[in-house]
Amino acid sequence: MSGHFQPLTPVRVLRKLKKLSLPKEGQQYVINRNPRNLEKLRVAYKPNGYLLEKPGRSYWHKLELNITNRYITAEVKHFENGPVVTASSSEWAIKKQLFKTNDASAYINTARVFAQRCLRSGITEIMCKIEATPGGKVEKFLKVVEENGIALKEPEQLKAILPWDQYRPEKPWEVPESEAILAPSKK
């Protein structure tokens, strides 16, 4: 074995990533390592699907709730990559804390865990087409998800503005001067 081999450590990996992500001299761009950045800016492609399709496909992230006789499973599905975040009452850590895995408290607690995982992964807006009966378990699930900071409606995709368009919507990354809070000047 040669003396040039060094084991791969987390410190060496981080050092290499920082070195690769720094722009080189004369370089005009930086590589974006966040694949969801364009979705947050509302610029990313959002598939429309076919106009006559019943459920439609105009979403970046979609909430799916799978209910069986024994368990509940909540998933966030990305339109390209499939499931991104999941939480289920069949998971050992959640099931251990529940009396029953399909009663109202299971829906509420699974919703809390699901919302927490979504926020940790950076997902704050999800398209939800689940119709819940008033006072039912699914309605409680959706209510708890919203209370924990997840919006159940995605913003519209920004379309390219053409010179002849009458209305020009504000871009989400720009702040108009009228809304900007200026710090008071010190005398």
Side-chain angles (χ1 to χ4, degrees), residues 5 19 28 50 75 96 105 115 141 151 158 161 174:
F5 176 75
K19 183 180 169 186
Q28 297 293 323
Y50 296 105
E75 283 185 333
K96 182 180 164 189
S105 70
F141 178 89
L158 286 177
I161 300 169
E174 291 180 356

Side-chain angles (χ1 to χ4, degrees), residues 113-128:
V113 171
F114 176 72
Q116 181 184 20
R117 289 179 184 175
C118 286
L119 291 174
R120 282 191 179 170
S121 67
I123 298 172
T124 57
E125 293 139 347
I126 303 171
M127 198 251 335
C128 176

Side-chain angles (χ1 to χ4, degrees), residues 24-42:
K24 295 167 181 66
E25 286 186 39
Q27 189 178 16
Q28 297 293 323
Y29 60 91
V30 177
I31 297 170
N32 179 16
R33 297 192 182 277
N34 182 359
R36 307 281 184 249
N37 186 33
L38 294 177
E39 294 169 5
K40 289 283 188 190
L41 292 174
R42 297 175 25 198

